Amino acid sequence: LGELALQKGERVPVELLALTYGSLVRQVIADYESIEEVNKQLDLMGYNIGVRLADDFFAKSGVSDCRSFQDSAEIVAKVGFKMYLNVQASVDLWNADNTAYSILFDENPLAEFTELPEEYAQLSFSNLVCGVIRGALEMLLLVVKCEFVRSTLQGNEMNEIRISLVEMLRESAPEDDED
Amino acid sequence: LGELALQKGERVPVELLALTYGSLVRQVIADYESIEEVNKQLDLMGYNIGVRLADDFFAKSGVSDCRSFQDSAEIVAKVGFKMYLNVQASVDLWNADNTAYSILFDENPLAEFTELPEEYAQLSFSNLVCGVIRGALEMLLLVVKCEFVRSTLQGNEMNEIRISLVEMLRESAPEDDED
């Protein structure tokens, strides 16, 4: 599915996205007092993007529906990451009751031009990605918590985003009575 | 050349770039008092991106060199716009002494999700692009002035970026004595 989606729509070099995103992070850092606030703000910006990107995703990806939290894992990792960041990601580290999993990937193209100075050790530079996932999954009525737990930018061997289910929403006006 | 470059490197959907750029513009608007300052800041961010993107451009585009202002026009419009924004642009409206030209293009993918409210009529939303051009051309020792003079976002039929030569710099340590 991800491969198919790569052929649809117009695409631009990831370098331009990475440099534009770097400008955004610098601007947010200049505006907020604490790194914690910066991380929050990047997540919020991502959330708004994810909400808008959800339609684009379904239009291009060939994914028709996804209501279970378990299905969402493969769709986010295998289709979403491939489509939007050209990244091969995998799903792993499910918890015992299947309400949390991790998305693992080696290279983070958003951080291609970035090195974190020591004073920014707590910065979750690519936190926008967590927000995008959170926003897009909320369009599927899945409320999740989403955060980087490991990052190559912070010296880890790979990137790990942890996604935990908080709540499954119901459609406000169900059109379908099955089940 | 532009077409060839499209096959090199990793590419991401233009929608993600457009939404990320929209977040950046909103953040800059929140930070500066006047729209004039916002335009300036976007240009400056673009300049820094253009300076870094110049290497990427030469590595991928197959363009080997370009020292005349007149050559730069076709390279920016035909190769640069195609490579980085997937946009077909043309060069026109040269002035009499060949020191200024316009780049014309119909659709602006950066503005795909944007409508300008009336109070932002003076906002040059995509001014980052002018900065990128300015920064990249400066790497070619061409100092230019670059600005949007028409924009579809402001109700015009097409987008026009005007580029005027300010100065041609000399290499500080010329290795080649010809000419």
Side-chain angles (χ1 to χ4, degrees):
Chain A
L1 287 173
E3 291 297 334
L4 191 79
L6 284 179
Q7 294 155 25
K8 287 192 195 163
E10 299 192 356
R11 297 175 74 84
V12 297
V14 71
E15 288 83 3
L16 183 57
L17 176 67
L19 289 168
T20 303
Y21 182 63
S23 297
L24 176 62
V25 175
R26 263 191 302 279
Q27 191 67 28
V28 174
I29 287 175
D31 291 349
Y32 291 84
E33 300 267 316
S34 70
I35 293 296
E36 202 187 337
E37 296 240 28
V38 172
N39 291 341
K40 244 189 224 170
Q41 185 62 19
L42 292 174
D43 173 83
L44 187 62
M45 288 172 161
Y47 175 84
N48 290 323
I49 291 175
V51 165
R52 301 193 73 164
L53 222 46
D55 285 339
D56 179 66
F57 177 77
F58 285 105
K60 286 190 196 144
S61 66
V63 172
S64 57
D65 201 8
C66 153
R67 280 298 141 87
S68 84
F69 182 66
Q70 277 167 278
D71 288 351
S72 77
E74 294 288 320
I75 291 172
V76 170
K78 300 283 169 60
V79 190
F81 270 70
K82 185 74 196 156
M83 233 175 107
Y84 290 103
L85 293 175
N86 228 341
V87 157
Q88 300 273 10
S90 61
V91 178
D92 207 345
L93 306 174
W94 281 98
N95 66 354
D97 53 358
N98 285 336
T99 57
Y101 61 88
S102 291
I103 294 179
L104 302 164
F105 54 106
D106 292 328
E107 281 179 44
N108 175 2
L110 281 184
E112 189 180 338
F113 297 95
T114 305
E115 279 177 44
L116 286 189
E118 250 178 57
E119 71 232 69
Y120 293 127
Q122 297 310 309
L123 176 66
S124 182
F125 178 83
S126 306
N127 224 25
L128 189 100
V129 175
C130 294
V132 171
I133 294 171
R134 201 164 64 78
L137 288 181
E138 208 161 301
M139 293 296 97
L140 297 173
L141 307 178
L142 299 167
V143 180
V144 300
K145 194 181 144 209
C146 185
E147 60 187 357
F148 269 90
V149 291
R150 281 190 287 168
S151 131
T152 46
L153 212 49
Q154 290 169 325
N156 294 295
E157 265 182 36
M158 53 165 35
N159 298 287
E160 176 180 352
I161 293 178
R162 188 79 183 155
I163 301 183
S164 314
L165 182 62
V166 175
E167 192 186 353
M168 294 187 76
L169 301 176
R170 288 187 189 189
E171 304 246 26
S172 48
E175 294 174 305
D176 191 325
D177 293 61
E178 285 180 57
D179 139 344
Chain B
L1 288 171
E3 291 298 335
L4 192 80
L6 285 178
Q7 294 155 25
K8 289 192 195 162
E10 299 191 358
R11 298 176 72 85
V12 296
V14 71
E15 288 82 4
L16 183 57
L17 176 67
L19 289 168
T20 302
Y21 182 63
S23 297
L24 175 62
V25 176
R26 262 192 302 279
Q27 190 68 26
V28 174
I29 287 176
D31 291 349
Y32 290 85
E33 300 268 315
S34 72
I35 294 296
E36 204 187 334
E37 296 244 25
V38 172
N39 292 341
K40 244 187 226 170
Q41 186 61 21
L42 292 174
D43 173 83
L44 188 62
M45 289 171 160
Y47 176 84
N48 291 325
I49 290 174
V51 165
R52 302 193 73 164
L53 222 46
D55 286 339
D56 179 66
F57 177 78
F58 285 105
K60 286 188 197 148
S61 67
V63 172
S64 58
D65 201 8
C66 152
R67 278 298 141 87
S68 85
F69 182 65
Q70 276 167 278
D71 289 351
S72 77
E74 294 288 321
I75 291 171
V76 170
K78 300 283 170 59
V79 190
F81 270 71
K82 185 73 196 158
M83 234 175 105
Y84 290 102
L85 293 175
N86 227 341
V87 157
Q88 299 274 7
S90 61
V91 179
D92 206 345
L93 307 173
W94 280 98
N95 67 352
D97 54 356
N98 286 335
T99 57
Y101 61 87
S102 291
I103 292 179
L104 301 164
F105 55 105
D106 292 329
E107 281 178 47
N108 175 3
L110 281 184
E112 188 180 339
F113 297 96
T114 305
E115 281 177 43
L116 285 190
E118 252 177 57
E119 72 233 69
Y120 293 127
Q122 298 310 309
L123 175 67
S124 182
F125 178 83
S126 306
N127 225 27
L128 188 101
V129 175
C130 294
V132 171
I133 294 170
R134 201 164 64 77
L137 287 182
E138 208 161 301
M139 293 297 96
L140 297 172
L141 306 179
L142 299 167
V143 180
V144 300
K145 194 181 143 208
C146 185
E147 60 186 357
F148 269 90
V149 291
R150 283 190 285 169
S151 130
T152 46
L153 213 50
Q154 289 167 327
N156 294 295
E157 266 182 32
M158 53 166 36
N159 299 287
E160 177 181 353
I161 293 178
R162 189 78 183 156
I163 302 183
S164 314
L165 182 63
V166 175
E167 192 186 353
M168 295 187 74
L169 302 175
R170 288 189 190 185
E171 304 245 28
S172 48
E175 295 174 302
D176 190 326
D177 292 62
E178 286 180 57
D179 140 342

